[in-house]
Amino acid sequence: MKQRTLTGVVLALLSMVLLGCFHLPWVPQLIAILLGCGVVWEILGANGIRNKGSYAAGLFLAVIIPIFSLTGKVWWMAAALVLGLGFFTYLMTRIGKQAPAWVAAPEIVLALCLYRGLACYGEIPHGAFFLCLTGLICALTDIFAYLVGSRFGHKLAPKVSPGKSIEGALGGLGVTVVLIALVFGRFFDDIGTLMLYTAVVSILGQFGDLSMSAVKRVAGVKDFGHIFPGHGGILDRCDSLMYPLAFTWLLYCAQGWIFA
């Protein structure tokens, strides 16, 4: 527990530094590239793929996708979000069955496309604030889902993530919506839109967690890595951000809800 707490403090301080630099040119893209490289390394490792060609191709995509401009190409991110939700839902049905050899390729490509949303926050006014808001929603959902779920529990998806419960998911959602509204409501003209945004991000964050859990279950591994002592790998920490990052940028492009 001490190691986990210390790692959490270090990660929080590092996140604050990165947020402070987020407005600088190319910083959002560089952070997205680093995250993407972690995605490639951990997914290939989880699937037992060791050949250099796969790593070279994956790392090339991890570098090129965040640099690729999405200006005028909103459909590209929208397609990634829809396909990602569909594919990782399919993957949940593969748990307990032998995974086909090709499964790592769509896992990597879709994850990279969705995490590319991080670089898009550089295009959003006050992008660092909205990135902090998105991350906080996902973190609070995770914390309160655990606190509620540890006391009450009808399994949410026992084959995918045995520790998650329906009560925990609903509790994490409800408490997070209320807390975000109370703390950040004064920054928005319409608190109702903020609550709606928080609810959707919370749900997408929980689905992102389940999606990456499905990748691990199909691959037969417990964690994606050990780069963060007590916390696992990069994807173990960033799984819940996968869909919310893409969704928030699409919302900004549509000038909907909180961006209206």
Side-chain angles (χ1 to χ4, degrees), residues 129-247:
F129 169 79
F130 282 104
L131 179 58
C132 181
L133 179 63
T134 306
L136 185 60
I137 291 170
C138 293
L140 288 175
T141 299
D142 187 50
I143 291 170
F144 287 104
Y146 171 77
L147 293 176
V148 175
S150 61
R151 293 179 175 272
F152 311 96
H154 291 82
K155 299 297 183 184
L156 177 65
K159 289 185 178 180
V160 181
S161 187
K164 298 188 184 303
S165 70
I166 297 173
E167 291 87 348
L170 294 175
L173 169 64
V175 175
T176 299
V177 168
V178 172
L179 285 178
I180 292 295
L182 290 174
V183 176
F184 293 98
R186 64 181 183 275
F187 297 112
F188 297 87
D189 295 330
D190 185 352
I191 196 170
T193 59
L194 174 62
M195 294 177 74
L196 180 58
Y197 169 75
T198 302
V200 174
V201 168
S202 176
I203 293 169
L204 288 175
Q206 294 189 65
F207 196 80
D209 193 342
L210 289 173
S211 295
M212 288 298 103
S213 292
V215 174
K216 290 188 287 187
R217 297 293 176 269
V218 169
V221 298
K222 183 178 184 296
D223 294 313
F224 279 108
H226 306 285
I227 190 172
F228 303 129
H231 289 260
I234 293 173
L235 279 174
D236 293 304
R237 289 298 86 210
C238 299
D239 50 8
S240 60
L241 287 172
M242 184 166 65
Y243 300 113
L245 289 174
F247 169 74

Side-chain angles (χ1 to χ4, degrees), residues 33-43 59 62 234-235:
I33 287 172
L34 290 174
L35 176 59
C37 289
V39 167
V40 172
W41 194 269
E42 292 182 352
I43 289 181
L59 292 174
I234 293 173
L235 279 174

Side-chain angles (χ1 to χ4, degrees), residues 7 40 58 64 81 85 90 101 106 117 159 173 185 198 205 212 257:
T7 302
V40 172
I64 202 68
L81 183 58
L85 289 167
Y90 156 76
K159 289 185 178 180
L173 169 64
T198 302
M212 288 298 103
W257 298 359

Side-chain angles (χ1 to χ4, degrees), residues 13 40 60 63 95 116 128 131 137 175 192:
L13 292 174
V40 172
F60 173 77
V63 172
I95 296 173
R116 196 261 182 250
L131 179 58
I137 291 170
V175 175

Side-chain angles (χ1 to χ4, degrees), residues 68-93:
F68 176 67
S69 174
L70 293 186
T71 304
K73 299 181 178 67
V74 176
W75 64 267
W76 192 81
M77 184 68 83
L81 183 58
V82 173
L83 290 173
L85 289 167
F87 174 77
F88 288 108
T89 299
Y90 156 76
L91 206 62
M92 293 178 198
T93 68

Side-chain angles (χ1 to χ4, degrees), residues 47 49 87 90-91 94 99-108:
N47 284 280
I49 298 173
F87 174 77
Y90 156 76
L91 206 62
R94 300 293 307 176
W102 51 263
V103 76
E107 287 174 0
I108 289 174

